[in-house]
Amino acid sequence: DPVIFADGHTYERDAIATWLRQRETSPMTGASFPGRRIVLLPNHAMRSQVEEWKAIQGSHIGSSNND
């Protein structure tokens, strides 16, 4: 479930939520977000790309390049 955090980076929702329960900084930039209300926005574009990649990978399972 990809989300965009206030630092502008995309993270997996569970991973960034865990990080933010323990810290008040960005894991990518180190920027501080103390006491701020945390908003995680869904990253629909990234989700679509992941789903497309998974579909392509799934179509390759069982196929062989050994001719």
Side-chain angles (χ1 to χ4, degrees):
D1 185 17
V3 294
I4 302 170
F5 179 50
D7 63 0
H9 291 277
T10 296
Y11 302 93
E12 176 62 35
R13 182 181 300 275
D14 291 341
I16 191 66
T18 298
W19 176 274
L20 293 171
R21 279 193 292 275
Q22 300 167 3
R23 302 166 187 87
E24 294 183 330
T25 59
S26 160
M28 293 293 291
T29 67
S32 183
F33 295 91
R36 293 189 186 177
R37 185 172 151 255
I38 301 300
V39 176
L40 300 174
L41 301 174
N43 188 333
H44 298 295
M46 179 65 75
R47 181 189 311 252
S48 294
Q49 289 176 338
V50 168
E51 292 302 320
E52 182 179 333
W53 179 85
K54 286 168 56 175
I56 291 169
Q57 295 305 309
S59 69
H60 286 52
I61 294 174
S63 67
S64 175
N65 291 334
N66 298 333
D67 293 332

